[in-house]
Amino acid sequence: MEHIKIKQTEILHRPDGKEQLVLEGPVSPDRVSACHMHPQLDAFRRPAEQHEALVEIADLPEGRIIMATDGDQIVGYVTFHYADEYERWSEGNMDDLIELGAVEIANDYRGLGLAKKLIMLAFQEQQLDNVIVFTTEYYWHWDLESTGLSVWDYRKMMEKLMKNVDMVWFATDDPEICSHPANCLMVRVGRKVPQSSVEAFDRLRFRQRFMY
């Protein structure tokens, strides 16, 4: 399986006249190591620990880190990698099934459209057209407090974000996703993905065959 990585770079000029931001990726482990995390990037773990995780993901054959930096500080990022070995999505041993894992933007940099720009950057030059990209949206990961959004408004926001790269809602009987109606599975099937992989993914989506 060839994991195509074609680095993209975009310069974002902030409307407030402050220093420009650099959006780039997929980046190398060395590039991630050369930067430090904004202290507000703590949604998943402490910033220093998350920084270590980003370096590790960038070093994976399938791993991708797309990040936004202000000088040498990471202010936002998106991760792509294989599913965790304990999740059902890894059970098919599919080398062309990639998870869009984390999307995180520092509070001080929200409102600039960074999440949308970073995700779109990842898909440029059709470099993910030979894989199925999926993301599992769980309401307990959402920053409802800072945004002031309801669970349903946040869900709409996430769906809108993912639709920018043609990811759409897919049904599943996964218990964790089905545990709350706001949770969802969103998927983009690359145009070069073989039908055999689509069928293998369908078998992962549904354990209860009567639902398939």
Side-chain angles (χ1 to χ4, degrees):
M1 172 71 194
E2 180 185 7
H3 294 285
I4 303 168
K5 298 183 182 182
I6 307 171
K7 185 177 179 181
Q8 308 293 312
T9 303
E10 181 179 336
I11 305 299
L12 178 62
H13 300 281
R14 297 182 64 174
D16 55 13
K18 294 183 180 179
E19 188 173 350
Q20 64 189 17
L21 306 181
V22 178
L23 285 56
E24 56 185 318
V27 292
S28 68
D30 289 343
R31 174 61 182 141
V32 181
S33 296
C35 301
H36 64 277
M37 298 286 275
H38 192 287
Q40 293 172 349
L41 296 175
D42 59 358
F44 300 98
R45 51 176 72 88
R46 294 176 180 174
E49 296 172 350
Q50 185 66 1
H51 184 249
E52 292 179 5
L54 297 188
V55 173
E56 292 176 1
I57 293 171
D59 198 35
L60 296 171
E62 83 286 357
R64 297 169 191 267
I65 299 297
I66 317 298
M67 65 183 191
T69 54
D70 188 346
D72 62 355
Q73 185 175 67
I74 299 172
V75 299
Y77 64 87
V78 180
T79 68
F80 293 81
H81 46 73
Y82 283 142
D84 187 278
E85 61 179 326
Y86 300 108
E87 296 180 348
R88 79 154 59 180
W89 313 108
S90 68
E91 294 176 5
N93 295 315
M94 297 177 59
D95 59 7
D96 55 358
L97 180 60
I98 302 294
E99 180 174 7
L100 194 171
V103 181
E104 188 177 12
I105 308 296
N107 290 356
D108 290 348
Y109 292 81
R110 293 181 180 176
L112 300 174
L114 287 181
K116 174 182 176 180
K117 291 178 181 297
L118 290 175
I119 290 176
M120 292 182 69
L121 204 68
F123 287 83
Q124 285 189 7
E125 296 196 48
Q126 297 81 49
Q127 57 186 298
L128 287 166
D129 275 8
N130 64 339
V131 297
I132 298 172
V133 178
F134 77 98
T135 185
T136 50
E137 294 297 334
Y138 302 121
Y139 81 91
W140 50 82
H141 286 163
W142 298 341
D143 189 2
L144 302 176
E145 183 177 353
S146 294
T147 61
L149 296 175
S150 70
V151 167
W152 299 110
D153 286 340
Y154 207 106
R155 157 77 181 264
K156 290 177 182 177
M157 181 180 72
M158 293 305 297
E159 285 196 58
K160 183 179 179 180
L161 174 63
M162 297 304 169
K163 285 179 179 178
N164 285 297
V165 289
D166 299 324
M167 296 187 76
V168 298
W169 178 87
F170 269 49
T172 180
D173 64 4
D174 177 71
E176 201 164 18
I177 293 176
C178 294
S179 67
H180 192 281
N183 297 340
C184 67
L185 171 69
M186 297 197 72
V187 181
R188 177 186 185 271
V189 179
R191 62 184 181 87
K192 296 180 181 179
V193 173
Q195 182 61 28
S196 58
S197 292
V198 175
E199 293 171 357
F201 181 58
D202 286 341
R203 289 191 292 272
L204 290 177
R205 288 196 295 129
F206 292 106
R207 294 272 181 77
Q208 305 298 323
R209 303 307 298 169
F210 67 87
M211 294 183 65
Y212 176 35

